Amino acid sequence: MFRSINHLLRHVSRSVASLAMLLLLAASQQAQEKIGPTAILGAMGEEVALIESRLSDKQERQVQGMTFFTGKLNGRPVVLARSGIGKVNAAVTTILLIEHFNPSEVIFTGIAGAINPELFPGDVVIAVSTAQHDYGANLADRFEHRGAPNPADGRRNPVFIPADARLLDAAERASRSVQFDKIKIDGEERAPRVIKGVVVTGDSFISSASKKAELRKLLEADAVEMEGAAVAQVCWQQSVPCLIIRSISDRADSNALRDIVNFQRIAARNSARLVAALLDQLESARQ
């Protein structure tokens, strides 16, 4: 009788273990099926044109007057949109995107002005962190940068919102395999370089050597643009992984307006090429 009971207990134990394994596999499969698309945003049409041209199974969807494209890029589900220029437009588009498409991550691609003196048009900055350079308090003797309070709980966001570590690592690895467009500057053709750095955001186009020096000194910025930190803040508050990738179109100095005309197309393509390679990395890791 004792041997029979032991035998029965072993049989029940194996059955329970098998059932637990089946339930675990089913839960894992269900979790994979629920993984949302990768969201890609750019402020202007030219910044997302390369990605849009490579989408397969492309479909268009209107949400509150905004156009979103869904499809696949390198086999990975993607939702793509043009946010428009500026922090408010970028934030509105991001929250619509999160609410209606439930992305697994958000990537912003586009152009930026160089603050780091070692960066030139065509170079690419993968943002380790982003900050709003025009958000804070004008005190008697200085401007104090502050993080915006989260309206949901009142807690203040960090001044520098960190990039998602997984996306940052994947982008760095992807950058090693990308064939970027070379660019001719002062009659000399040079291959773009990729760095990890700080990208700062504000609602004004920077074409000023003094402002550039200020952003470098106070925030240790490498590049400046007009949307990234707003997108990062929304994603931070909504717990959605986010990464900002920018390619240099100008040097944020007195020649910026001239340079952006000459270099924005190649800069936009270089940023988009890195995003496409990043999606390859993410899809390989998922399989």
Side-chain angles (χ1 to χ4, degrees), residues 14 26 56 70 73 85 134-135 155 158 161 181 186 221 227 260:
R14 284 195 297 267
S56 60
T70 60
L73 180 63
I85 296 171
D134 56 358
Y135 188 95
R155 290 187 295 180
I161 297 180
D181 285 347
D186 298 329
E227 299 84 23
I260 197 172

Side-chain angles (χ1 to χ4, degrees), residues 73-212:
L73 180 63
N74 303 334
R76 190 176 182 85
V78 165
V79 55
L80 175 71
R82 179 179 61 84
S83 71
I85 296 171
K87 293 192 295 183
V88 173
N89 285 333
V92 168
T93 305
T94 304
I95 202 64
L96 289 174
L97 179 69
I98 292 172
E99 180 180 3
H100 291 272
F101 296 92
N102 191 31
S104 57
E105 57 264 325
V106 175
I107 301 167
F108 202 100
T109 179
I111 63 175
I115 301 299
N116 184 331
E118 297 182 1
L119 292 175
F120 292 88
D123 291 344
V124 178
V125 180
I126 305 170
V128 173
S129 62
T130 56
Q132 296 183 56
H133 67 75
D134 56 358
Y135 188 95
N138 279 298
L139 304 179
D141 58 345
R142 70 189 190 283
F143 183 83
E144 183 179 280
H145 296 93
R146 297 176 179 175
N150 185 334
D153 57 22
R155 290 187 295 180
R156 192 174 290 278
N157 295 318
V159 173
F160 293 93
I161 297 180
D164 177 77
R166 175 181 61 91
L167 294 177
L168 186 63
D169 179 66
E172 185 177 22
R173 283 185 279 111
S175 69
R176 300 172 193 146
S177 64
V178 179
Q179 294 295 317
F180 294 107
D181 285 347
K182 292 184 178 181
I183 196 163
K184 186 172 287 188
I185 300 174
D186 298 329
E188 182 179 345
E189 191 173 68
R190 65 182 298 273
R193 61 186 294 234
V194 180
I195 71 163
K196 295 189 297 183
V198 175
V199 173
V200 296
T201 302
D203 273 321
S204 57
F205 180 79
I206 305 301
S207 181
S208 163
S210 61
K211 185 64 177 179
K212 173 178 176 175

